[in-house]
Amino acid sequence: MRIERYHRDAELDQRGLRARRLLREAGAPVSAVRSLDVFLVHGRGDTGSVVAEFTPPEEMAKVFRDPVAEEITLDGDGASAAMPGWDVALEIALKPGVADPVAGTAQEALETVLGATPD
């Protein structure tokens, strides 16, 4: 399952605002930049995915978003939801072996809500 999280209000997206400012300072003609957080969640077990059994969007939203400021898409296109008509997408990932505290927190939250351990 792919979960994409983004700010409802572009003015609250500080990473996007900073990236836009830096790109403009470098001479790039950008009108807007938005950032999204992407989580890939895989289930465990031979009888089926724990996550597949846990698909109600409102339940996933409890784990992955701030209900006041953020939205999520499940297996959808968060980029188009966050910024319709976008032209370029840039994906940035951590290098293998680099600690990812957000992923660790997400796994702990899923374990608590699901009562099971995702991969």
Side-chain angles (χ1 to χ4, degrees):
M1 175 176 287
R2 181 182 175 98
I3 301 165
E4 296 178 343
R5 177 180 66 195
Y6 58 93
H7 287 280
R8 279 188 186 139
D9 182 349
E11 294 304 313
L12 296 176
D13 182 0
Q14 293 303 309
R15 288 182 296 169
L17 293 172
R18 182 171 187 266
R20 181 182 70 187
R21 179 180 54 80
L22 293 172
L23 287 166
R24 285 180 174 172
E25 287 174 1
V30 296
S31 59
V33 175
R34 296 292 301 267
S35 67
L36 287 81
D37 295 311
V38 177
F39 301 90
L40 301 175
V41 182
H42 302 280
R44 177 179 288 172
D46 297 331
T47 59
S49 168
V50 169
V51 175
E53 297 169 12
F54 181 71
T55 52
E58 58 279 354
E59 293 299 316
M60 291 301 275
K62 288 179 187 176
V63 175
F64 288 97
R65 77 172 170 112
D66 171 354
V68 174
E70 298 172 331
E71 292 292 341
I72 64 168
T73 60
L74 302 177
D75 292 327
D77 185 2
S80 291
M83 197 163 79
W86 60 274
D87 294 320
V88 176
L90 175 65
E91 186 169 325
I92 300 171
L94 296 175
K95 292 181 179 181
V98 173
D100 187 351
V102 174
T105 302
Q107 181 168 348
E108 289 174 11
L110 281 173
E111 289 172 0
T112 299
V113 173
L114 291 173
T117 305
D119 286 339

